[in-house]
Amino acid sequence: MPEQGNRRVVIVGAGFAGLSATRALSGESVDVTLIDRSNHHLFQPLLYQVASAALNPSDIAVPIRRILRNQKNATVLLADVKRIEPSRREVMTNQGPISYDHLVLACGATHSYFGNDHWAQHAPGLKSLDDATDIRSRILYAFEAAEREPDPTKRAAWLTFVVIGAGPTGVELAGALAEIAFRILVHDFRRIDPRDARVLLLEGRRVLPPYSEESADSARHQLESLGVEVREQTLVTGIDDAGVSIGDERIEARTVLWAAGVQASPVGASLGTETDRAGRVVVEPDLSLTGFPEVFVIGDMCRFEQDGALVPGVAPAAMQAGRHAAQNLLRRVNGQPTLPFHYVDKGSLATIGRAAAVAEVAGMHLSGLIAWLAWLGIHIFFLIGFRNRSLVLFEWAWAYLTHQRGIRLITGDVAERVRSGHADRNPTVGDERDPEDTSRVDRS
Amino acid sequence: MPEQGNRRVVIVGAGFAGLSATRALSGESVDVTLIDRSNHHLFQPLLYQVASAALNPSDIAVPIRRILRNQKNATVLLADVKRIEPSRREVMTNQGPISYDHLVLACGATHSYFGNDHWAQHAPGLKSLDDATDIRSRILYAFEAAEREPDPTKRAAWLTFVVIGAGPTGVELAGALAEIAFRILVHDFRRIDPRDARVLLLEGRRVLPPYSEESADSARHQLESLGVEVREQTLVTGIDDAGVSIGDERIEARTVLWAAGVQASPVGASLGTETDRAGRVVVEPDLSLTGFPEVFVIGDMCRFEQDGALVPGVAPAAMQAGRHAAQNLLRRVNGQPTLPFHYVDKGSLATIGRAAAVAEVAGMHLSGLIAWLAWLGIHIFFLIGFRNRSLVLFEWAWAYLTHQRGIRLITGDVAERVRSGHADRNPTVGDERDPEDTSRVDRS
């Protein structure tokens, strides 16, 4: 039995890492407080499907309380963690400080604009449900604005979509954009042909950097078949509300999406220990924090090297680390030595579009339909909840059979700005005219 | 054949009235421009189901372009109509003016706070998808805030929900709130018991004013069985960020919802013709505007009396008027006299909760399970699209069998304020503490 003063476990973050750690402590004689600033666990690998109007937010998000309702030793707290005071063993939140005996930090990562934070307003990234519905609204709004724009140059800018960064998220977003423009919206407009749209995928290195050359070639080929213009070795030097600059070259585009870089949560830096350039916390082999063995740091905010390479920021790695941190935490509670973490790579998968994907599993490189089916099956399997699995399967079957995307809604801030005409606040709704403007809407 | 200068039809608003008018003009030799400030048609009778986390926004909203993709004479324009210049035959939008030969106005209605517009920020109403997801986030956030609130008085205020107005929307919202508190969330919290919540339904007259006494009695009884405190003949005299005042009485409540009054769109007043107290435009028997026979005003923004009573602001009336206005418009195009409108009342239905409803059809007053089944069937039948019908059926079956609500997501502004701690902007997130605050979060 652990002593009384050794039982308070605080876990920060209910992503794959933090949630796996929490569940691994189920039934153990510890008191777990799981803190997150959202009320839901998000299945991030499918977030781009919400951004591209294929899935509903609730298909890929489940209330944390719902997941843990039967885990009696877990209390869920909605709060925003600002920093950690490891020497006082306190988590500082916007709801006041919380003391711990053991801490598991799994705060994840956010976008990084490589020092160009002013790009954020013009090129939103994709990390939360609100990001996804905002990007969805921007994409759909661009076609609406093009439909009513009489000037051909301006119309072309509304119909140009640039995705920056060709990692899995960028590849998936570009593929989805191509499907929307070239297949799904084709019959819905009267003045524009959505097939006139351009979808550009810009990447500083090459497509899918962590994958093999063979998979990258296949992904590039599949993207180009869908109509995406793939440009590798291309460094963006400027982004503003009208487009993207690449050195002297200029691409006029009203919709620019950012999928290029991630930065670990700033909570990591507040620990005062060693971090790398991306803000990831360097940890000991047992995932604990140097000098603070009662603190474990896992998931996307942790830097863990194995066999000379970084453990990647993917869901399977986060889940394995979550379970391992929980085990080590229990070993400490029980006075046992901790064990080193070892990541087991089960393979990589990235989807590109309808029946298009690449996979690297057990040394095999798959692509096309078979990789896409593997991707489908695995993602449905790991979704939480029977309801969600059924609905996602329904949405995918529906989209596949009908070439439709069911969630084509413009909502939130973008919709609000359509109404209010507050043009200056969002580049994608930037050309609202004054009602007194005497220029006519082209009704031809 | 109509002459060239007689073919331009502009329809404002893609609700039930405007959309029905548009579809009734399909295949006719007129050019229809349908203007709406949203990109979707909304099935408003189910909006409260989105607000109460039972349905997804996309279950009850369909892109207008999708509905009209095969109607070649219809162009959809996303724009906000500011006012009409009937003498110049122009619609003034935030995208510039648009000329018409024939105009159908169906701009609908919005909330009315009876001159107390400052109540709006404390007691949001339910008219759009964004309203619905905002109310959903507020309701769910209130339970989260109660869970972490150590002070019993403050906690009780977070657990008190007030719905003002007991028309169909108010009754439905109150019933849904009771289900959420007393059934759905019961096992999800550790420090509070959601069953300690209070749900109050306040009404100045009596429950379901347009229904018979018999139906009202039944609705009141069913609401009380669900745990709702129904208070009739109760006039609210004040609303602020901490609660509601009724004369000298005070109810401390952090979540107040407004379902008491509607006001016709201000576009109606811009016509310069006669309107009633609620801003509805008084129309001729053929639904045209007095003095401007080329303008038809229909739906919730029109005042139409029949047999000494107002035609109610319900979907069937709007759809009938939409079809009738389209017919009269075509008669005018073809030089025929217009016909007077006659509303056919097919009955009324209001739902209260799981297996609870009231219905008045063909002189019969139904209640309970049979009325609820009728309500279910009719609402699924009139939803647009097979996909939506299937998904809504799935969601309802799921909710019915499992006592769950699948869409329990806190998103948007409320979620943003959780993170930023901008407490002052929203009464439901009003007690964020400073991270430096030394008071502890109660972890008992």
Side-chain angles (χ1 to χ4, degrees):
Chain A
M1 276 297 286
E3 45 186 319
Q4 199 61 20
N6 196 18
R7 289 177 54 203
R8 295 175 306 168
V9 176
V10 172
I11 298 177
V12 182
F16 288 108
L19 193 60
S20 295
T22 306
R23 293 172 101 172
L25 294 173
S26 180
E28 306 289 344
S29 58
V30 288
D31 284 333
V32 181
T33 300
L34 176 59
I35 307 174
D36 200 292
R37 58 188 187 178
S38 294
N39 81 323
H40 48 268
H41 167 72
L42 186 61
F43 195 81
Q44 269 194 349
L46 292 179
L47 200 51
Y48 85 97
Q49 294 254 8
V50 174
S52 60
L55 292 180
N56 266 303
S58 69
D59 294 337
I60 63 160
V62 183
I64 302 164
R65 297 195 178 284
R66 171 100 182 88
I67 300 171
L68 299 174
R69 68 187 326 202
N70 295 323
Q71 184 171 336
K72 293 301 176 198
N73 72 342
T75 301
V76 178
L77 207 61
L78 183 73
D80 194 18
V81 169
K82 301 294 185 184
R83 56 191 167 78
I84 311 295
E85 297 277 0
S87 53
R88 282 158 52 192
R89 297 196 179 177
E90 280 187 344
V91 176
M92 313 305 282
T93 82
N94 63 346
Q95 301 294 316
I98 299 174
S99 300
Y100 61 81
D101 299 317
H102 307 274
L103 176 67
V104 179
L105 274 184
C107 306
T110 183
H111 328 297
S112 165
Y113 289 88
F114 307 130
N116 297 290
D117 287 349
H118 57 289
W119 290 357
Q121 57 178 312
H122 309 301
L126 185 59
K127 275 287 168 190
S128 70
L129 283 183
D130 286 320
D131 292 342
T133 50
D134 179 60
I135 288 177
R136 180 183 76 195
S137 295
R138 284 171 182 248
I139 293 170
L140 297 171
Y141 184 82
F143 288 97
E144 298 292 336
E147 173 82 344
R148 68 185 184 211
E149 178 58 64
D151 181 85
T153 311
K154 289 181 183 171
R155 195 191 306 135
W158 279 116
L159 289 176
T160 303
F161 299 85
V162 176
V163 178
I164 301 172
T169 298
V171 165
E172 287 163 343
L173 268 177
L177 273 166
E179 285 194 75
I180 290 173
F182 305 137
R183 293 189 182 170
I184 290 159
L185 295 183
V186 166
H187 300 293
D188 285 14
F189 292 82
R190 297 290 176 265
R191 303 172 187 171
I192 59 165
D193 185 339
R195 284 170 293 196
D196 292 339
R198 290 178 70 196
V199 179
L200 292 99
L201 178 61
L202 310 183
E203 165 62 48
R205 290 173 287 171
R206 68 149 166 87
V207 164
L208 295 180
Y211 285 67
S212 68
E213 278 290 350
E214 187 185 339
S215 292
D217 286 344
S218 169
R220 194 184 304 109
H221 178 74
Q222 293 180 67
L223 282 164
E224 284 166 352
S225 309
L226 283 170
V228 176
E229 301 172 40
V230 181
R231 293 178 54 179
E232 298 172 300
Q233 314 298 337
T234 300
L235 276 173
V236 169
T237 52
I239 307 175
D240 54 49
D241 63 0
V244 171
S245 298
I246 304 160
D248 292 341
E249 189 190 346
R250 176 80 185 163
I251 300 170
E252 301 293 329
R254 298 301 297 258
T255 312
V256 182
L257 306 179
W258 186 260
V262 291
Q263 179 78 18
S265 160
V267 172
S270 80
L271 292 164
T273 60
E274 188 187 354
T275 56
D276 70 6
R277 210 165 45 100
R280 286 175 294 218
V281 178
V282 178
V283 293
E284 298 292 321
D286 66 351
L287 297 173
S288 72
L289 187 64
T290 312
F292 298 95
E294 72 281 6
V295 178
F296 297 90
V297 184
I298 56 176
D300 288 358
M301 72 181 289
C302 132
R303 181 189 178 87
F304 191 88
E305 282 187 57
Q306 179 172 304
D307 308 329
L310 283 189
V311 169
V314 295
M319 292 162 82
Q320 290 176 30
R323 288 189 293 265
H324 192 83
Q327 266 184 351
N328 274 348
L329 188 157
L330 289 173
R331 293 181 71 86
R332 276 186 51 81
V333 168
N334 296 315
Q336 297 167 304
T338 59
L339 302 173
F341 175 59
H342 183 76
Y343 166 58
V344 182
D345 185 359
K346 301 249 176 77
S348 306
L349 274 163
T351 185
I352 294 154
R354 193 170 184 264
V358 291
E360 298 188 348
V361 186
M364 290 188 300
H365 296 174
L366 308 174
S367 67
L369 180 64
I370 191 164
W372 185 69
L373 288 172
W375 178 88
L376 224 67
I378 287 168
H379 283 76
I380 288 175
F381 181 80
F382 278 106
L383 266 182
I384 287 177
F386 169 80
R387 175 186 164 285
N388 292 49
R389 284 186 210 120
S390 319
L391 288 172
V392 168
L393 204 56
F394 180 96
E395 293 283 6
W396 279 342
W398 182 258
Y400 191 86
L401 294 171
T402 63
H403 275 299
Q404 280 298 324
R405 293 193 173 222
I407 333 285
R408 279 165 43 198
L409 304 177
I410 298 177
T411 55
D413 285 356
V414 172
E416 186 50 46
R417 285 163 208 169
V418 173
R419 283 166 216 153
S420 66
H422 282 154
D424 49 329
R425 288 162 56 202
N426 186 333
T428 61
V429 289
D431 75 347
E432 306 296 338
R433 293 185 204 151
D434 190 85
E436 308 299 330
D437 185 349
T438 52
S439 63
R440 305 264 151 167
V441 172
D442 179 19
R443 296 186 69 249
S444 62
Chain B
M1 273 300 285
E3 45 188 319
Q4 199 62 19
N6 195 18
R7 289 177 54 203
R8 295 174 306 169
V9 176
V10 172
I11 298 178
V12 183
F16 289 108
L19 192 61
S20 296
T22 306
R23 294 173 101 173
L25 295 172
S26 180
E28 305 290 343
S29 59
V30 288
D31 283 334
V32 181
T33 301
L34 175 58
I35 307 175
D36 200 292
R37 58 187 187 180
S38 294
N39 81 324
H40 47 269
H41 167 71
L42 186 61
F43 194 81
Q44 269 193 350
L46 292 179
L47 200 50
Y48 86 97
Q49 294 254 8
V50 174
S52 61
L55 292 180
N56 265 302
S58 70
D59 293 337
I60 63 161
V62 183
I64 302 165
R65 298 196 177 283
R66 171 100 182 89
I67 301 170
L68 298 174
R69 69 187 326 201
N70 295 322
Q71 183 171 336
K72 294 301 175 199
N73 72 342
T75 301
V76 179
L77 207 60
L78 184 72
D80 193 19
V81 169
K82 301 294 186 186
R83 58 192 165 79
I84 311 296
E85 298 276 1
S87 53
R88 283 158 51 192
R89 297 197 179 177
E90 281 188 342
V91 175
M92 313 307 282
T93 82
N94 64 344
Q95 302 294 315
I98 300 174
S99 299
Y100 61 80
D101 300 315
H102 308 273
L103 176 66
V104 179
L105 276 184
C107 305
T110 182
H111 328 296
S112 164
Y113 290 87
F114 307 130
N116 297 290
D117 287 349
H118 57 289
W119 291 358
Q121 56 176 314
H122 309 302
L126 184 60
K127 276 285 169 192
S128 70
L129 282 183
D130 286 319
D131 291 343
T133 51
D134 179 59
I135 288 178
R136 180 183 74 195
S137 295
R138 285 172 182 247
I139 292 170
L140 297 171
Y141 183 81
F143 288 97
E144 298 292 338
E147 173 83 343
R148 68 187 184 211
E149 178 57 64
D151 180 85
T153 310
K154 289 181 181 171
R155 196 191 306 137
W158 280 115
L159 289 176
T160 303
F161 299 85
V162 176
V163 178
I164 300 172
T169 298
V171 164
E172 288 163 345
L173 269 177
L177 273 166
E179 286 195 74
I180 290 173
F182 305 137
R183 293 190 180 168
I184 289 158
L185 296 183
V186 165
H187 301 293
D188 285 14
F189 292 82
R190 298 290 176 263
R191 301 173 188 171
I192 59 165
D193 185 339
R195 284 171 294 195
D196 292 339
R198 289 177 71 196
V199 179
L200 292 99
L201 178 61
L202 311 183
E203 164 62 48
R205 290 172 290 170
R206 68 151 166 85
V207 165
L208 294 179
Y211 285 68
S212 67
E213 278 290 349
E214 188 185 339
S215 292
D217 286 343
S218 169
R220 195 184 305 110
H221 178 73
Q222 293 180 65
L223 283 164
E224 285 167 352
S225 309
L226 283 168
V228 176
E229 302 171 41
V230 181
R231 293 178 53 178
E232 299 172 299
Q233 313 298 337
T234 300
L235 277 173
V236 169
T237 52
I239 308 176
D240 53 50
D241 64 359
V244 170
S245 298
I246 305 161
D248 291 341
E249 189 190 347
R250 176 78 186 165
I251 299 170
E252 300 294 329
R254 299 302 297 257
T255 312
V256 182
L257 306 178
W258 185 259
V262 292
Q263 178 78 19
S265 160
V267 172
S270 79
L271 293 164
T273 61
E274 188 188 355
T275 56
D276 69 5
R277 212 164 43 99
R280 286 174 294 218
V281 178
V282 178
V283 293
E284 299 291 322
D286 66 351
L287 296 173
S288 72
L289 187 63
T290 311
F292 298 95
E294 72 281 6
V295 178
F296 297 89
V297 184
I298 55 175
D300 288 359
M301 73 180 290
C302 131
R303 181 189 178 85
F304 192 88
E305 280 187 57
Q306 180 171 304
D307 307 330
L310 283 187
V311 169
V314 295
M319 293 162 82
Q320 290 176 32
R323 288 190 292 265
H324 192 85
Q327 266 184 351
N328 274 348
L329 189 157
L330 289 174
R331 295 180 71 87
R332 275 185 53 82
V333 167
N334 295 315
Q336 297 168 305
T338 57
L339 302 173
F341 174 59
H342 183 75
Y343 166 57
V344 182
D345 185 359
K346 302 247 176 79
S348 306
L349 274 162
T351 185
I352 294 154
R354 192 171 185 261
V358 291
E360 299 188 349
V361 186
M364 288 188 300
H365 297 174
L366 309 173
S367 66
L369 181 64
I370 191 165
W372 186 70
L373 288 172
W375 178 89
L376 225 68
I378 287 167
H379 283 77
I380 288 176
F381 180 81
F382 278 106
L383 266 182
I384 287 176
F386 169 78
R387 175 186 164 283
N388 290 49
R389 283 186 210 121
S390 319
L391 288 172
V392 168
L393 204 56
F394 179 94
E395 293 284 5
W396 279 343
W398 181 259
Y400 191 87
L401 293 171
T402 64
H403 275 298
Q404 279 298 326
R405 293 193 173 223
I407 333 285
R408 279 165 41 198
L409 305 177
I410 298 177
T411 56
D413 284 355
V414 172
E416 187 48 47
R417 286 164 207 168
V418 173
R419 282 166 216 152
S420 64
H422 281 154
D424 49 331
R425 287 163 56 204
N426 187 333
T428 62
V429 288
D431 74 349
E432 306 297 340
R433 294 189 204 145
D434 189 86
E436 307 299 331
D437 185 347
T438 51
S439 64
R440 305 263 152 166
V441 173
D442 178 19
R443 297 187 68 249
S444 62

